[in-house]
Amino acid sequence: MKLNYESLKDKAFWEKAGITLPRFNRENMITATKIEPKWVHFGAGNIFRAFPAAMMQQLLDENIETTGIIVAEGYDGEIIDKSFTAFDNLTILVTLKSDGSTDKKIIASIAESMRMDLAYAELKKIFASPSLQMASFTITEKGYNIMGEIKEEPSAPQSYLGRIAGLLYERYRNGANPIAMVSMDNCSHNGDILFAAMETFAKVWTENGAADKGFLAYIQDKNKVSFPWSMIDKITPRPDDSVRDMLISYGLEDMNGVITSKNTYAAPFVNAEETQYLIIEDTFPNGRPALEKAGVMFTDKETVDRVEKMKVCTCLNPLHTSLAVFGCLLGYTRISEEMKDADLVRLIEGIGYNEGLPVVTDPGIIKPRDFIDQVIKVRLPNPFMPDAPQRIAMDTSLKIPIRFGETIKAYIETGKNCSDLKLIPLVFAGWLRYLLGIDDKGDHFEVSPDPNYNTLAEALAGISLGMAASKDELHSKLKPILSNSSYFGVDLYKAGSGKTLGERVEELFLQMLEGPGAVRSTLQKTLDFSA
């Protein structure tokens, strides 16, 4: 059996496989969407199919909405060819629950999928439609870089965000109808980042005469074009082989995933955890789908900001990075396996409950302690979530100043002594030890990609496992790193009274260099000391 629209008619097959079918009339949905499109999404990755598309599926199944989503991909068109159109825009969503069970359903809420490079004229027509309410984005943090792109003309832009700006210009020229531009990417104040990019294009184009003068005012008018902030949280790893094998065992064909020429992992299915959060600032000048009935929390900008800080700075992301660093050093390849390690569980409990919660930003709509409880007890231990510390360790130098630096700043601002922090400096020392590319057994491993790796590796050159380094020698090498606020959010030598965080990191790093097993030994000693 192949996954396509025709195969959905064989209800007995899908029922036997335990895969839930859509309950709405898909042909009617596609027709309604073409007549009055309401939602376009950019970024056809796994998180889109597992979360926004699944939410719209729920609204369609419950007869709350009648139109679906048009998805466009502007970075890797192979995703559309190999994972969407090849399967009639259908996806099998496999939800991996912590109790060992799975929930499987066909996601059929995508009315049309497009390659932006081939269907730009069609996208212009959609953006000219007065019915369009929102355009949403999951294009990753890197997708918002517009360096070198703003010289493009609105008539034929070539870059991702240039084309988005060109679509907004088409909307402006066809009645200047309102729309919400909703970034769902995992970056702070994501709506402002998207707005800044669109405003930059509008300024350049209006100043050089390529666009009407009124276009800039249109972009800047919040009653016309809004850029809500949002916070999204749902772990959606790459398509897993065990899930593929399960689907094949039911008799499904063509379930093998692909790795595109741009190194994107895609398949006709997605696997994801059950837990999910999407909090969006409720500013939609042309209306919006009733996503609150599918679990979205709509609120004000300040609350979105507090939720994001709670998650990113205390309740999830710092714990993830801690597990990533020590998981690579201790030879783990699955986060769930790390959660069977008593030392690592003690580590993230201490960082979350003891060092983070005292200065957490309470958003009001979600209790921080409940959020951490769910992360530690349900989400991270989930044995069916194939997430790897090696993946999470990517770009760690960019993550640390937010995931840990904000907590250190909060200690300083509230008058707390940073020297009371024992486990956060342990993670910093572990990260430096990780950058050497030698695990706790003394074996070499590949450090995950990081834009600052070469600079950091050069600074740490000459440091090796078992070396008899003096404190002064180590200090001269580490000071340029530990005093760099771009890495840690603050100068660690200016944080703490008595022994500074910088001095503490030096001591812990030196202990971890003693030889094989020193990482584990230092971890245990520090945990016992901080208890």
Side-chain angles (χ1 to χ4, degrees):
M1 179 70 74
K2 294 186 177 182
L3 175 63
N4 54 41
Y5 183 57
E6 186 65 26
S7 72
L8 298 189
K9 298 175 183 178
D10 189 348
K11 295 183 179 180
F13 171 83
W14 299 103
E15 183 178 351
K16 183 179 179 181
I19 300 175
T20 304
L21 293 173
R23 301 197 303 268
F24 61 92
N25 187 307
R26 189 162 181 260
E27 290 181 349
N28 290 347
M29 178 274 290
I30 293 172
T31 299
T33 305
K34 287 183 177 180
I35 294 172
E36 288 195 334
K38 293 183 179 180
W39 184 357
V40 174
H41 183 89
F42 294 94
N46 294 324
I47 184 67
F48 161 68
R49 293 192 286 170
F51 201 171
M55 290 192 299
M56 181 53 83
Q57 171 99 354
Q58 179 181 338
L59 299 182
L60 287 164
D61 277 342
E62 296 175 1
N63 295 317
I64 296 171
E65 298 289 343
T66 57
T67 59
I69 306 175
I70 299 166
V71 64
E73 174 58 39
Y75 172 71
D76 192 344
E78 284 185 68
I79 300 174
I80 298 297
D81 299 334
K82 296 178 179 178
S83 293
F84 283 80
T85 55
F87 300 94
D88 291 346
N89 295 321
L90 300 172
T91 294
I92 301 175
L93 170 59
V94 180
T95 302
L96 308 168
K97 300 184 179 181
S98 58
D99 63 3
S101 64
T102 61
D103 181 71
K104 303 176 288 292
K105 64 176 64 176
I106 301 290
I107 301 300
S109 59
I110 299 166
E112 192 172 5
S113 62
M114 300 178 174
R115 293 180 53 143
M116 191 184 288
D117 57 342
L118 302 179
Y120 195 60
E122 183 63 24
L123 281 166
K124 280 186 174 182
K125 294 178 183 178
I126 293 168
F127 265 73
S129 175
S131 63
L132 188 63
Q133 296 177 328
M134 63 184 285
S136 56
F137 301 80
T138 51
I139 60 176
T140 78
E141 297 94 320
K142 296 177 183 178
Y144 296 90
N145 182 6
I146 62 170
M147 294 297 291
E149 299 175 358
I150 57 175
K151 294 181 180 179
E152 300 175 345
E153 298 296 316
S155 58
Q158 297 299 313
S159 66
Y160 206 146
L161 290 183
R163 284 173 169 154
I164 301 298
L167 292 173
L168 280 177
Y169 186 54
E170 190 71 13
R171 189 165 184 80
Y172 162 75
R173 293 179 60 211
N174 287 270
N177 289 300
I179 189 173
M181 305 291 285
V182 188
S183 170
M184 296 180 180
D185 281 298
N186 229 335
C187 41
S188 182
H189 303 170
N190 45 21
D192 286 356
I193 295 172
L194 180 57
F195 167 72
M198 295 299 101
E199 185 184 44
T200 299
F201 279 105
K203 283 181 177 179
V204 172
W205 289 348
T206 54
E207 287 172 1
N208 66 18
D212 296 344
K213 293 294 183 182
F215 180 49
L216 178 59
Y218 173 68
I219 294 290
Q220 294 173 334
D221 186 346
K222 295 180 180 179
N223 293 317
K224 287 289 188 177
V225 186
S226 68
F227 295 85
W229 292 5
S230 74
M231 192 287 287
I232 192 168
D233 182 20
K234 185 179 181 72
I235 300 173
T236 310
R238 294 169 177 169
D240 190 67
D241 289 348
S242 65
V243 175
R244 176 204 62 196
D245 293 343
M246 175 183 67
L247 296 174
I248 291 175
S249 73
Y250 299 149
L252 282 162
E253 303 174 51
D254 299 333
M255 288 292 108
N256 287 313
V258 297
I259 303 176
T260 70
S261 59
K262 293 189 175 181
N263 204 38
T264 303
Y265 288 73
F269 66 90
V270 290
N271 38 248
E273 68 170 338
E274 183 177 18
T275 303
Q276 59 186 35
Y277 296 94
L278 181 55
I279 294 91
I280 304 177
E281 177 190 358
D282 200 0
T283 54
F284 289 78
N286 201 32
R288 58 171 174 77
L291 290 168
E292 71 278 3
K293 296 181 180 179
V296 175
M297 298 181 188
F298 288 99
T299 183
D300 54 54
K301 177 176 291 186
E302 292 72 21
T303 302
V304 175
D305 191 37
R306 290 195 295 268
V307 171
E308 181 198 32
K309 286 182 178 178
M310 176 201 73
K311 174 211 166 191
V312 173
C313 304
T314 304
C315 297
L316 174 59
N317 296 54
L319 314 188
H320 242 168
T321 291
S322 302
L323 291 172
V325 167
F326 282 98
C328 292
L329 287 169
L330 297 175
Y332 286 102
T333 57
R334 289 286 178 101
I335 292 293
S336 58
E337 289 299 311
E338 289 189 71
M339 293 304 291
K340 298 176 184 178
D341 187 316
D343 293 334
L344 296 181
V345 172
R346 287 176 65 197
L347 172 66
I348 63 171
E349 286 178 342
I351 290 173
Y353 293 119
N354 301 335
E355 298 189 352
L357 273 186
V359 292
V360 73
T361 301
D362 189 339
I365 60 174
I366 302 174
K367 293 182 179 179
R369 178 170 286 275
D370 291 348
F371 193 100
I372 294 183
D373 285 345
Q374 189 177 50
V375 167
I376 293 178
K377 297 175 182 178
V378 178
R379 301 177 69 182
L380 296 178
N382 188 339
F384 297 94
M385 284 301 299
D387 215 352
Q390 290 75 19
R391 182 188 74 85
I392 298 167
M394 292 175 61
D395 303 332
T396 298
S397 70
L398 305 181
K399 298 171 180 176
I400 283 179
I402 300 298
R403 297 185 177 192
F404 297 96
E406 293 302 310
T407 291
I408 296 172
K409 290 177 185 177
Y411 268 70
I412 295 171
E413 292 168 0
T414 58
K416 295 180 180 294
N417 187 358
C418 291
S419 297
D420 292 338
L421 297 171
K422 309 299 182 185
L423 301 182
I424 288 178
L426 175 67
V427 174
F428 293 166
W431 176 54
L432 295 176
R433 174 67 177 76
Y434 158 85
L435 289 170
L436 300 182
I438 303 171
D439 67 20
D440 203 28
K441 293 180 180 179
D443 298 328
H444 288 272
F445 66 87
E446 185 177 350
V447 174
S448 298
D450 190 307
N452 292 309
Y453 173 70
N454 290 337
T455 300
L456 290 161
E458 183 178 348
L460 296 171
I463 297 177
S464 60
L465 197 62
M467 68 177 291
S470 68
K471 289 185 178 180
D472 290 342
E473 180 185 0
L474 200 65
H475 175 73
S476 66
K477 285 185 172 291
L478 296 186
K479 186 175 181 180
I481 299 174
L482 299 179
S483 62
N484 191 332
S485 60
S486 68
Y487 291 140
F488 301 98
V490 298
D491 179 342
L492 294 182
Y493 294 106
K494 295 180 179 178
S497 58
K499 186 174 293 183
T500 67
L501 291 184
E503 293 170 323
R504 182 62 179 152
V505 172
E506 288 184 16
E507 289 182 353
L508 293 167
F509 181 56
L510 187 60
Q511 292 175 30
M512 292 183 186
L513 292 176
E514 291 178 358
V519 172
R520 174 71 72 175
S521 174
T522 304
L523 173 62
Q524 292 175 337
K525 288 178 183 177
T526 309
L527 288 168
D528 292 340
F529 178 66
S530 65

